[in-house]
Amino acid sequence: MPPVSPTDAPIGVFDSGFGGLTVARALVDQLPSEDLLYLGDTARAPYGPLPIDVVREYALECLDHLAEQGVKAMVIACNSASSAMLRDARQRYDVPVVDVILPAARRAARTTRNRRIGVICTEATASSGAYADALGVAPVEITTQACPRFVELIEAGVTSGPELLAVAEEYLAPVRAAGVDTLVLGCTHYPLLTGVISYLLGPEVTLVSSADEGADHTYATLLGAGLLRAEPGRLGRHEFITTGAPDAFAGIGRRLVGEWVGHVRQFS
């Protein structure tokens, strides 16, 4: 058989669980002809409360597997993982590695009018200071708030209602008090909560999705590297791997982002 062209290889998307499906969904919208290989480490999720060195170990194991599958680029669709090992990953693999933190930080810096930016994220991302580092050269004031229960509620199917509203009010109070005009959704689960977040903060606060910005940066990276698949009209194939239970992954994934989450196979 002739060797597979690099442009025909799939894009690898990695997340600790389900939040990265928002990145994958954005990639499907922007790059419908591309094949995707999604790996969710649901057996060891969530990464947010874990020590940074443990997150690094788990994430690199998963990225090693994607590299073995012959992906042409890797998207680390997990803020916690990006903050733990992005530099390591870029040195370790010979394909482009895209994160979601720096693209979102750049968008927030361009968007803010009053130079006050809020970041809501997991505990791991907050403790890493990754967004503060990414925004370090910008003359902005940053308010970071960890929101540990958001992931738990989303994966339980709670994306509206009084329980979520009460939790969101508590988490967003410091952000609102800081007078931010731009808020980074610094976990790829959080775009699924834009309704309640927008309701509480009001239209004067612009939301920046790390999922959408990560997808935009992936497009630009593939274009710059000459790796875009040039087959107009082709619909890409989407494969899903989980370290947890495939049926549970499929059920939660479809509930969160739709029926395009197809067959899921297990990786141990």
Side-chain angles (χ1 to χ4, degrees):
M1 293 179 60
V4 176
S5 166
T7 59
D8 294 341
I11 301 168
V13 181
F14 163 69
D15 186 55
S16 60
F18 300 95
L21 290 172
T22 61
V23 180
R25 176 75 260 183
L27 286 170
V28 169
D29 291 341
Q30 292 194 29
L31 299 165
S33 65
E34 297 285 352
D35 293 342
L36 296 183
L37 178 59
Y38 184 99
L39 173 54
D41 191 11
T42 53
R44 300 182 291 195
Y47 282 5
L50 299 177
I52 289 291
D53 59 331
V54 175
V55 173
R56 177 185 179 279
E57 176 189 349
Y58 290 173
L60 289 175
E61 280 183 16
C62 292
L63 291 182
D64 284 349
H65 182 68
L66 287 178
E68 291 166 4
Q69 306 308 301
V71 298
K72 65 181 177 183
M74 296 182 187
V75 181
I76 306 175
C78 175
N79 285 262
S80 298
S82 290
S83 64
M85 55 71 177
L86 176 62
R87 184 174 299 175
D88 296 308
R90 286 181 169 157
Q91 293 174 348
R92 190 180 183 104
Y93 308 110
D94 60 359
V95 298
V97 177
V98 178
D99 76 308
V100 292
I101 291 178
L102 188 56
R106 286 173 173 164
R107 173 64 65 184
R110 291 196 299 267
T111 300
T112 184
R113 303 172 303 281
N114 69 3
R115 316 311 296 173
R116 296 178 183 176
I117 295 173
V119 178
I120 56 174
C121 55
T122 66
E123 292 165 303
T125 301
S127 64
S128 74
Y131 275 97
D133 290 344
L135 288 162
V137 297
V140 297
E141 179 182 325
I142 306 165
T143 301
T144 302
Q145 175 65 40
C147 305
R149 288 202 63 204
F150 274 173
V151 170
E152 166 196 331
L153 290 168
I154 290 168
E155 295 191 0
V158 181
T159 54
S160 62
E163 181 184 13
L164 174 63
L165 186 62
V167 172
E169 282 184 316
E170 178 185 347
Y171 285 155
L172 295 176
V175 173
R176 187 159 44 192
V180 307
D181 72 351
T182 303
L183 180 69
V184 177
L185 307 181
C187 171
T188 50
H189 280 77
Y190 296 175
L192 298 166
L193 300 181
T194 52
V196 68
I197 294 170
S198 294
Y199 171 76
L200 290 172
L201 295 182
E204 64 275 10
V205 177
T206 301
L207 304 185
V208 174
S209 165
S210 60
D212 289 343
E213 298 306 320
D216 288 348
H217 189 54
T218 302
Y219 180 97
T221 299
L222 293 177
L223 179 64
L227 290 173
L228 284 178
R229 190 162 193 158
E231 292 184 56
R234 178 186 187 274
L235 291 180
R237 295 184 297 272
H238 312 134
E239 298 183 61
F240 302 87
I241 310 171
T242 178
T243 58
D247 289 346
F249 184 99
I252 294 172
R254 289 167 192 160
R255 185 175 70 233
L256 293 177
V257 295
E259 292 299 318
W260 67 276
V261 177
H263 174 71
V264 182
R265 57 189 173 91
Q266 188 161 32
F267 163 63
S268 59

